[in-house]
Amino acid sequence: SAVISQKPSRDICQRGTSLTIQCQVDSQVTMMFWYRQQPGQSLTLIATANQGSEATYESGFVIDKFPISRPNLTFSTLTVSNMSPEDSSIYLCSVRLRGRRETQYFGPGTRLLVL
Amino acid sequence: QQPVQSPQAVILREGEDAVINCSSSKALYSVHWYRQKHGEAPVFLMILLKGGEQMRHEKISASFNEKKQQSSLYLTASQLSYSGTYFCGTEIESGAGSYQLTFGKGTKLSVIP
């Protein structure tokens, strides 16, 4: 398995501000993803973080709102920009390990509350 | 394209069995099962691959019916620790390889003494 850490673990932010979430993995991974989980809901894929190139966003998510970086194989950031209360959610980093394509693991998540 | 899970919720007494189903309208390459406890991240349980065998994790097993694009998770002799929300994540069959999981809405399982 992989050890995935996320920072911060939780935050309370004011509307209109931005927050950057970091994801660090202790193993080399092939794929890194960012998911959102609203309270009591399922997991929704925001984007696939691509190393050295622009992330691939799912329908309903745009780069201006959720810019993503992935400078190397084990690290990625997600920024939630110009936040509104509707952005209050849990944001989860998820990875697939090199050599084990099939298995996907989740980080502990970042709990965001926007006031 | 979101897979459909059933039931939405189930309450069990310790030692009872349960089945959670996951179905898709698309041809699937794989089905992943996760359990999420309140306030925690989803934990990987097992994966079912097209053409693969039935999988088992402790007293939890799962199957994948490729013809029906359905997967079932079987919880045998349930324990209190089995409580949580179970999600299936499906990967659509693609020649280039999809790598993206689409999750169902989840099944909330409560095991009581």
Side-chain angles (χ1 to χ4, degrees):
Chain A
S1 64
V3 176
I4 307 170
S5 60
Q6 283 187 234
K7 293 180 181 179
S9 59
R10 61 179 65 240
D11 207 341
I12 302 173
C13 300
Q14 297 297 319
R15 69 173 65 205
T17 62
S18 298
L19 177 71
T20 295
I21 302 168
Q22 298 180 2
C23 175
Q24 179 73 54
V25 189
D26 71 340
S27 308
Q28 288 200 340
V29 300
T30 52
M31 310 290 290
M32 295 185 78
F33 307 94
W34 287 98
Y35 285 81
R36 182 173 73 182
Q37 186 176 33
Q38 296 179 311
Q41 302 298 312
S42 184
L43 301 149
T44 302
L45 180 63
I46 297 172
T48 302
N50 300 310
Q51 184 192 359
S53 65
E54 192 172 288
T56 305
Y57 290 85
E58 297 302 301
S59 176
F61 298 95
V62 295
I63 187 172
D64 290 345
K65 176 67 176 177
F66 297 101
I68 289 171
S69 75
R70 187 182 172 190
N72 58 51
L73 287 174
T74 62
F75 183 80
S76 178
T77 66
L78 167 74
T79 299
V80 186
S81 304
N82 189 24
M83 289 183 285
S84 67
E86 291 70 34
D87 294 319
S88 298
S89 190
I90 300 172
Y91 292 86
L92 295 139
C93 173
S94 184
V95 305
R96 294 206 184 189
L97 300 183
R98 181 176 292 278
R100 296 195 62 188
R101 170 189 177 248
E102 294 82 13
T103 309
Q104 186 165 327
Y105 298 98
F106 283 87
T110 296
R111 287 155 182 76
L112 172 62
L113 176 63
V114 183
L115 302 177
Chain B
Q1 296 183 3
Q2 182 178 39
V4 178
Q5 283 186 238
S6 64
Q8 292 183 353
V10 59
I11 300 174
L12 298 175
R13 292 198 176 276
E14 270 187 292
E16 292 183 337
D17 302 339
V19 179
I20 301 172
N21 298 303
C22 174
S23 64
S24 173
S25 60
K26 301 285 187 179
L28 299 177
Y29 172 79
S30 67
V31 180
H32 302 227
W33 285 97
Y34 293 82
R35 176 172 60 211
Q36 185 176 33
K37 293 183 180 289
H38 183 69
E40 299 180 7
V43 173
F44 174 80
L45 292 176
M46 63 187 76
I47 178 176
L48 287 302
L49 297 174
K50 180 182 176 182
E53 300 176 354
Q54 183 173 5
M55 299 297 293
R56 174 173 293 275
H57 172 79
E58 297 177 346
K59 291 186 177 180
I60 300 173
S61 61
S63 63
F64 179 24
N65 186 323
E66 296 173 30
K67 290 184 179 179
K68 295 184 178 181
Q69 304 305 325
Q70 289 180 350
S71 178
S72 295
L73 189 70
Y74 306 93
L75 298 101
T76 305
S78 58
Q79 306 168 15
L80 295 176
S81 61
Y82 285 3
S83 293
T85 300
Y86 289 77
F87 291 99
C88 70
T90 55
E91 183 177 1
I92 295 174
E93 187 169 31
S94 166
S98 168
Y99 297 98
Q100 296 176 349
L101 292 182
T102 303
F103 287 89
K105 292 185 176 182
T107 296
K108 185 175 182 180
L109 178 74
S110 301
V111 181
I112 58 178

